[in-house]
Amino acid sequence: ARETQQLLTFGHHKTQDQLHYSQHYYNTLPLHSGHDVTEPLKELTGKYQHEGLDPILPQHRTWTRWHYAALWISLAANIPAYLLGGGLVEEGLPWWAACLVIFIGNVVIAVLMTLMGMIGTQYGIPFPVYMRSVFGFHGAKLAAFSRASVLCGWFSIQVWLGGDSLYQIVVVLAGRSGGDDGGRDVGPSLGAWMGINLVQLICFFAFWALNVLILYRGMETLRKLEYFAAPFLIASGIALVLWALVRAGGIEPILEASYHLSTTTTRPQRSHVILVLFALNSIIGFWSTGLVNIMDLTRLARSQREQVIGQMIGAPIGNCFFAYLGVFVTS
């Protein structure tokens, strides 16, 4: 508790009121003393305190191992992760080697995520507050801004891919799929300088608005959404595998095609060692930004055991499942 209070006010002298609050906080935090706290953090005000930065008390933490497992399955269901598996096969790595490398990389990520996540579960604090112990009160703002900037870029990529998926559904419903223009003339053009049409723009903002609505409603809404979305995503992945099996005429043609693709690729030949290192770097780098602030999510865990088990189940299984889809379908 003392360390948590130091993180909240790091880099500044405490006033007499804050010192009084600190003593009260040390003696009443349930995580360390077993006593109930009915007035959490109300005495700490001003620039040190904000509802989104306050430590979450244990009795208010609702996430179990299954919520974290479901969260990882939902996080893993993205286009870049899907492309990673298929890209390794296309680069010349055999399908079994691609699957093995993806598994190893995601186990490494899961271990790192659980270790970093222990900070959030132990103290109930988010990433910006923890950064105060490293950069000080004002320096932590720069660290938080840097992380948020990267997140905005990543969010824009995901929103564009999601909006384009909605647009492709519109194209199919309009009966324009399979054309030479890929259905790009479904709707009035917005000019060559934008490269999209009005329907594409509407689909983009529709998907953006849906995401913003979920974020606005808070972490509890996200927890419920991920919990119900995970089974649907798994079912969609299984349906995609079945489609590939039917399209290829069984699993043997798929495995043979994988071997043929890995040995006849027109790309410059690279050694398997280089490809393995490239894959591991891609996997770890892919989740490195999430690794930095995973405590924003683990601060909601009921216990260290819940977040460790949930992440060790969800991260390898979820990421491997959707990356393997890329390997399988590409083959």
Side-chain angles (χ1 to χ4, degrees), residues 200-214:
Q200 284 179 290
L201 186 64
I202 292 174
C203 290
F204 170 82
F205 278 111
F207 195 78
W208 173 86
L210 179 61
N211 280 268
V212 171
L213 176 62
I214 295 171

Side-chain angles (χ1 to χ4, degrees), residues 21-35:
Y21 166 78
S22 300
Q23 186 61 45
H24 168 73
Y25 187 66
Y26 301 153
N27 295 334
T28 56
L29 190 66
L31 193 60
H32 296 269
S33 65
H35 298 292

Side-chain angles (χ1 to χ4, degrees), residues 113-131:
M113 286 286 185
T114 56
L115 292 176
M116 285 293 292
M118 289 180 178
I119 300 170
T121 307
Q122 177 70 20
Y123 300 111
I125 57 174
F127 168 74
V129 173
Y130 177 67
M131 285 296 98

